[in-house]
Amino acid sequence: MQSTQASPEVLSVESFSSRAFAWTLVISFCVPIFFHLVRRRQNVLPFPPGPEGLPVVGNVLDMPSRNQWLTYCRWGKQYNSDIVHAKVLGTHVIVLNSTKATCELFEKRSSLYSDRPPLPSLTQLIRMSWNIAFLPYGPRWRTWRKVFHEHFHPQATRQYLPRELKATRQLLVNLLRTPNNYRDHLRFMSGQIIMGIAYGIDIAPRDDPYISLAERALQAVESASITGWTFDMLPFYMYLPWWFPGASFKKEAAILAPHIDEMLDRPYRAVKDALAKGIAVPSVAASMITGLRGEPSHEDELTSKAVPATMYLGGADTTASAFLTFFLAMVLHPNAQRRAQMEIDRVVGTARLPDFDDETTLPYVSALVKEVMRWHPVAPIAVPHRLAADDIYEGYFLPAGSIVIGNTWALLHDESVFPEPNRFWPERFLDPDVKLPDAVFGFGRRICPGRFMARSSMWITIASVLAAFEISPTTDGDGVPLMPAEDFTTGLISYPEAFACAIRPRSKCAEGLIVAAMDAP
């Protein structure tokens, strides 16, 4: 009978394979446990204080869907901490409620805090991954940021002052003709300035296709930031059908995303066509396209598209919001309006409109502009940052991958810096020791690159409107003022809710100045 016993060589190989397999199992099982224990040993420090969550889902039910900045402020006071913590399933959320915390983390440790979370509602569902505000921190972001700086550093923005002044004068004319359409006029002016800078395109006063396109794109961003947050906090929702509870934004995004694509491509194609015909006006897009050599790579062409599109989308939306807040503030606070107008009459006189050269001699007007930006900031909550590695702050453990939110509202309503923070009081900025924080424009390396132009545009517009018009509440049939509510929308950009106001020339002389502005070069 033939033996079936395996040879020693075969036994050796089989036993080696068995031992290797066993060791693989041991290593696969033990290594994660080892690193877990090491992590636990490192993580002996507590998380920052915050609302106590439920098992598994954490603080899903605690996360606010409206006016998040107010909830985060309340948490800071409730837990007596300038940094608070929540957890949504496996995602840690850290909110910074003070200048001290944002300076220490976003500024001094910017290499750790300059990344962005994926934000799939914005980057994937509505296809805005090209917007520099949402780019992850890395080579592409640094390249695009450098291009932005070339066009928007303080000296570069001086070339845009004549365009800003011309658009402001046109705004005055439009307000004189149809004051009830002031919201449309403010949006037109904001788009007129940035569209000219980004693409060299003059837009039509009414029904302009580029303005309409931008409006649809902005609607997509607003919808994503309000109703798409589920996909940002719970990424597995990306794999669920639109009819699943909480995933309905998928259906809306499929309609909105093509508008984003067109926003990126259409004005860019218009500039390319104008360059080919030799009729292009100087612009950021024109200079970038001209700088392309030979057959451009996909990355080079994407840069040439994305940079001006980001400029336009960001600039038009934010400045329009700030101007609407100014109009609301003037309706609600007539004493501040009168004091600013008295200063303009005294310094500039009534024979001309203010110019950029008047800024240093109109301190109260400048203080009023700052108070508009502080009273209700355009972006009360900054676009979230992402923590790149484990960190420790004030004895609290901050885990890698955390979503870190700068609560701009909290910084600008800090009672220790701005007494009576909810009060609209420009006088606070007449004190040279009181400064408007840069947090108005974001944090750290992610601060808005267009902030210098935004400041100059806000100043000349507000000074000119104050010089020319009286802004007041509308009245009922008995002449009783109808004061609007101090209500604002929720989203990445926050607007005053629609309100009525009366806009009238301050005098016949002021009306004459406005009419003369129509013929100004």
Side-chain angles (χ1 to χ4, degrees), residues 458-477:
M458 278 200 67
W459 189 89
I460 192 60
T461 300
I462 288 176
S464 298
V465 170
L466 287 170
F469 291 101
E470 188 79 33
I471 305 169
S472 59
T474 57
T475 58
D476 64 14

Side-chain angles (χ1 to χ4, degrees), residues 69 318 321 376-383 406-409 439-440 491-494:
W69 51 91
T318 53
S321 168
H376 192 94
V378 166
I381 293 290
V383 179
N407 188 353
T408 306
W409 176 275
V440 170
L492 282 179
I493 304 301
S494 181

Side-chain angles (χ1 to χ4, degrees), residues 347-405:
V347 175
V348 178
T350 57
R352 67 178 180 89
L353 293 168
D355 202 343
F356 286 106
D357 294 337
D358 298 311
E359 183 171 0
T360 57
T361 59
L362 297 172
Y364 187 82
V365 172
S366 298
L368 188 147
V369 173
K370 293 175 184 176
E371 184 70 342
V372 167
M373 291 190 281
R374 184 209 68 83
W375 181 57
H376 192 94
V378 166
I381 293 290
V383 179
H385 295 227
R386 178 183 177 276
L387 178 54
D390 290 349
D391 199 12
I392 295 172
Y393 172 75
E394 299 263 313
Y396 295 125
F397 177 69
L398 312 181
S402 294
I403 293 177
V404 188
I405 299 172

Side-chain angles (χ1 to χ4, degrees), residues 330-342:
M330 294 302 93
V331 173
L332 297 176
H333 305 280
N335 290 337
Q337 180 178 191
R338 280 192 290 270
R339 179 167 177 179
Q341 290 168 334
M342 288 172 60

Side-chain angles (χ1 to χ4, degrees), residues 194-205:
I194 198 63
M195 194 70 178
I197 293 170
Y199 296 105
I201 295 175
D202 289 329
I203 59 178

